[in-house]
Amino acid sequence: MTPRYEELAARISARFGAGLVPVPSGCGELTYEVGKEDLLDCARALRDEADFRFEIMIDLCGVDYLAFGQAEWETSDATSTGFSRAAAREVIVPPADESFDTRRFAVVYHLLSISGNYRLRLRTFTGSGNPPVVPSVIGVWQSADWYEREAFDLFGILFDGHPDLRRLLTDYGFIGHAFRKDFPVSGNVEVRYDPEKGRVVYQPVSIEPRVLVPRIIRDDNRYDPGLRDKPANG
């Protein structure tokens, strides 16, 4: 981290204390986690106070941490399961009484200070509620409008206070949220043109889900550089 960012981190720590929790970064960038109940107050302070002046929100994205950190590709030994997450078609709309892991869904805000030439990321988790909800920051940064609609469309995250929260990228009548980790990789519905009806029709997807078996790392002379070119009688 550069001295300028170290100074910014010190000012943030002095101003917000435990309200902003630093997230470790491998590339020297500043990322903080904030509780969703403190999100709006923190956002306004970062925008308005002279020590920060993050006038612009340049991006907002949803994140699904389902099975985060779990290894899917065990390549030392052959497996019969392979990469199976979201290969099977399951319930794509969770029952209303089902809750989520408190750290499954998150929203990440990418902020830019023009006057200070700083960049900053904020991350807030939605909690266990179903559907997941966080406050809208559109009253702080107008640029959040379509970004929040995109996160709602693809992850099913609701933004409380958004004036026009509706789907942005998927088709009318789309069911589910395509960027959730448990959404089937082949989808649920396909669209085709029916020449007899003379119109586009919707139908259940015809692709059969399948499990991908990972490549196996072998240690014989076909792959080991130390053995590959060794004479057979050597």
Side-chain angles (χ1 to χ4, degrees):
M1 186 183 301
T2 65
R4 293 182 66 254
Y5 274 95
E6 290 177 353
E7 293 175 5
L8 175 61
R11 293 200 299 270
I12 290 175
S13 178
R15 167 63 175 83
F16 297 100
L20 283 182
V21 179
V23 178
S25 171
C27 54
E29 297 180 347
L30 285 182
T31 302
Y32 289 89
E33 186 174 316
V34 59
K36 66 177 184 178
E37 65 279 359
D38 298 323
L39 174 64
L40 292 182
D41 289 341
C42 174
R44 293 189 188 100
L46 288 172
R47 182 195 64 183
D48 297 338
E49 294 185 9
D51 281 343
F52 310 115
R53 294 294 184 187
F54 286 94
E55 307 98 339
I56 301 175
M57 193 205 74
I58 57 176
D59 196 12
L60 177 157
C61 58
V63 184
D64 183 357
Y65 284 100
L66 180 67
F68 178 74
Q70 297 180 14
E72 297 266 12
W73 295 81
E74 298 293 344
T75 54
S76 296
D77 300 303
T79 68
S80 59
T81 55
F83 187 81
S84 58
R85 188 175 63 203
R89 298 192 187 101
E90 300 175 355
V91 177
I92 58 176
V93 179
D97 58 351
E98 178 182 331
S99 61
F100 295 113
D101 183 283
T102 57
R103 295 180 68 83
R104 174 174 173 181
F105 292 108
V107 180
V108 180
Y109 305 83
H110 300 253
L111 310 181
L112 173 65
S113 170
I114 296 293
S115 55
N117 192 24
Y118 293 116
R119 295 175 185 267
L120 180 73
R121 278 198 298 268
L122 290 181
R123 181 177 68 182
T124 188
F125 284 90
T126 64
S128 60
N130 178 18
V133 182
V134 297
S136 172
V137 297
I138 196 170
V140 183
W141 295 291
Q142 281 289 323
S143 57
D145 188 351
W146 279 27
Y147 291 123
E148 290 183 346
R149 286 181 58 189
E150 181 182 42
F152 160 67
D153 190 358
L154 299 178
F155 292 93
I157 299 172
L158 302 182
F159 293 86
D160 186 25
H162 192 288
D164 187 26
L165 193 63
R166 53 194 169 93
R167 290 185 183 269
L168 181 67
L169 299 176
T170 54
D171 197 7
Y172 304 108
F174 190 90
I175 298 175
H177 304 282
F179 276 17
R180 288 189 177 183
K181 294 292 181 64
D182 52 3
F183 190 85
V185 292
S186 56
N188 291 280
V189 178
E190 65 184 22
V191 180
R192 67 176 179 85
Y193 179 77
D194 189 322
E196 295 182 359
K197 297 180 178 180
R199 60 180 176 84
V200 170
V201 297
Y202 293 80
Q203 63 186 34
V205 67
S206 58
I207 300 174
E208 289 297 324
R210 64 190 179 94
V211 173
L212 300 179
V213 178
R215 183 180 64 180
I216 307 304
I217 298 177
R218 305 185 187 276
D219 298 321
D220 58 28
N221 63 342
R222 293 175 296 173
Y223 304 97
D224 189 330
L227 299 175
R228 186 171 53 202
D229 301 321
K230 190 175 182 180
N233 59 356

